[in-house]
Amino acid sequence: MRIQNKNFNLKQIADSGQCFRMNLISENKYSLIAFDHYIELEQIEEDLIDISCSKKDYDLIWKDYFDLDYDYGRIIDVLTSGSDEFLKAAAAYGSGIRILRQDSFEMLISFIISQNKNIPSIKACIERICETYGKYMVDNTSGTVYYTFPTPDILAEAKKEDLRALKLGYRDEYIIGASRAVIMGDIYLDSLKNHSHEEAVIVLKGIKGIGDKVANCISLFGLHHIEAFPIDVWMKRVLTEYYEDKFDPMNYKGYAGIVQQYMFYYIRHIHGESK
DNA sequence: TGCCAGGAAGCCG
DNA sequence: CGGCTTCATGGC
């Protein structure tokens, strides 16, 4: 199915550090596993993308997943016409980034894993977890074998030694604990979507293994609170090198998370597209 | 070999 | 509260 949409660039989204199961498979073409689905996407032109799905699935799943009803162009216009030179360049460079509406539990676990790891390593860990605990699936159209992201009940009962064998390091018990918190009803991820970002962060930080940065990532990418503003080592670099630690996300109240993504994507590019 | 990665917990002052 | 150390693991 071919769709036309502005501010929609596959490479930028795949390399934006928000999703870990979207991969380049050939030139301008990406595979993506989300929820229980596998799709392939191809960037035909700047605003033109082919998705290997039916119109029904597009309307039901992917239109929402890629946040295609939101006008990112409006944000780009504000930033590129502003006086902040770094943000001008960053917004122009990453104008095809969108904040995906990913599964909240997958984001919870993925960003617990992310701590003190680089992106390739995070992706490798997540694939091992899916292969071990997810459902075996075959995509009808391409014949591709893939594994879904495991459900909370499966991970809640996982053995620490088995997780440790997947090279998760000390994060194994965080994963089990967080999954149990979901199962036990200590935390209702989907209801947190209806709470404020601030409330969501407080609740998330109640889970062992989740600090301020990871909580903000889960809030932004898993709950779609686009006012979240995660600060990792790359963002610290931006804030010190370009803003003398005086950047105030409140200047972009309500959509600071989108601004953050432009900054993150751009600083990594400046520092050599390091992966 | 030491340092770094989309950090957080534990401890100390 | 803020600073320091430790925590697995892989890649360069």
Side-chain angles (χ1 to χ4, degrees):
Chain A
M1 152 133 215
R2 176 160 296 193
I3 59 165
Q4 184 151 25
N5 206 101
K6 290 188 173 176
N7 306 105
F8 189 6
N9 184 281
L10 298 178
K11 173 180 167 51
Q12 292 178 17
I13 292 170
D15 294 342
S16 67
Q18 60 173 308
C19 57
F20 303 107
R21 306 196 74 193
M22 181 172 180
N23 295 302
L24 184 70
I25 51 177
S26 63
E27 197 174 354
N28 299 323
K29 201 163 177 183
Y30 292 81
S31 64
L32 169 68
I33 304 165
F35 306 111
D36 282 1
H37 305 277
Y38 172 95
I39 54 169
E40 293 179 357
L41 306 105
E42 183 172 3
Q43 192 91 38
I44 307 295
E45 292 171 15
E46 185 177 341
D47 295 335
L48 212 57
I49 286 174
D50 272 356
I51 308 183
S52 65
C53 71
S54 62
K55 169 153 179 40
K56 182 183 161 200
D57 277 359
Y58 170 74
D59 290 333
L60 226 57
I61 303 167
W62 304 111
K63 185 179 177 194
D64 180 67
Y65 180 83
F66 288 105
D67 201 25
L68 291 175
D69 283 333
Y70 189 86
D71 184 10
Y72 287 80
R74 189 175 61 80
I75 310 290
I76 299 286
D77 289 343
V78 169
L79 299 180
T80 52
S81 63
S83 56
D84 184 321
E85 295 302 326
F86 183 83
L87 267 182
K88 265 189 181 179
Y93 184 71
S95 64
I97 297 174
R98 314 183 73 82
I99 311 290
L100 306 181
R101 293 177 184 265
Q102 302 183 77
D103 177 75
S104 53
F105 179 69
E106 180 172 339
M107 291 301 99
L108 173 74
I109 301 301
S110 295
F111 280 99
I112 285 176
I113 292 171
S114 79
Q115 66 178 258
N116 214 26
K117 276 184 169 300
N118 55 34
I119 293 175
S121 174
I122 298 165
K123 292 172 90 167
C125 284
I126 290 172
E127 284 314 309
R128 284 194 289 271
I129 285 189
C130 293
E131 285 168 17
T132 308
Y133 297 101
K135 273 186 299 181
Y136 170 93
M137 307 280 275
V138 180
D139 174 49
N140 288 333
T141 42
S142 68
T144 309
V145 168
Y146 65 100
Y147 296 86
T148 61
F149 195 89
T151 50
D153 55 313
I154 298 287
L155 284 183
E157 291 169 11
K159 295 233 183 306
K160 190 170 153 184
E161 314 84 72
D162 296 340
L163 282 172
R164 187 58 68 100
L166 302 181
K167 307 296 184 183
L168 299 165
Y170 58 88
R171 303 163 190 81
D172 48 11
E173 50 193 19
Y174 296 162
I175 293 170
I176 295 172
S179 301
R180 285 183 182 164
V182 170
I183 292 301
M184 304 291 281
D186 295 337
I187 174 172
Y188 288 92
L189 286 174
D190 285 325
S191 80
L192 286 181
K193 292 178 183 174
N194 302 321
H195 288 67
S196 71
H197 159 66
E198 287 77 11
E199 288 177 303
V201 164
I202 290 171
V203 172
L204 288 166
K205 284 171 78 171
I207 295 177
K208 193 173 174 184
I210 299 182
D212 202 57
K213 187 270 170 182
V214 167
N216 270 271
C217 280
I218 298 168
S219 184
L220 178 56
F221 304 127
L223 307 175
H224 206 78
H225 289 309
I226 59 172
E227 62 268 45
F229 196 79
I231 299 176
D232 70 321
V233 292
W234 292 97
M235 285 302 296
K236 278 183 187 145
R237 223 163 263 165
V238 173
L239 301 185
T240 39
E241 288 179 18
Y242 293 88
Y243 295 93
E244 299 175 323
D245 291 315
K246 285 174 183 149
F247 182 85
D248 186 8
M250 291 307 276
N251 293 334
Y252 306 94
K253 193 167 167 49
Y255 61 98
I258 297 175
V259 173
Q260 188 272 4
Q261 277 303 97
Y262 298 143
M263 294 172 128
F264 177 82
Y265 184 69
Y266 188 54
I267 191 67
R268 282 165 55 84
H269 162 66
I270 290 177
H271 281 254
E273 215 103 80
S274 46
K275 276 174 287 200

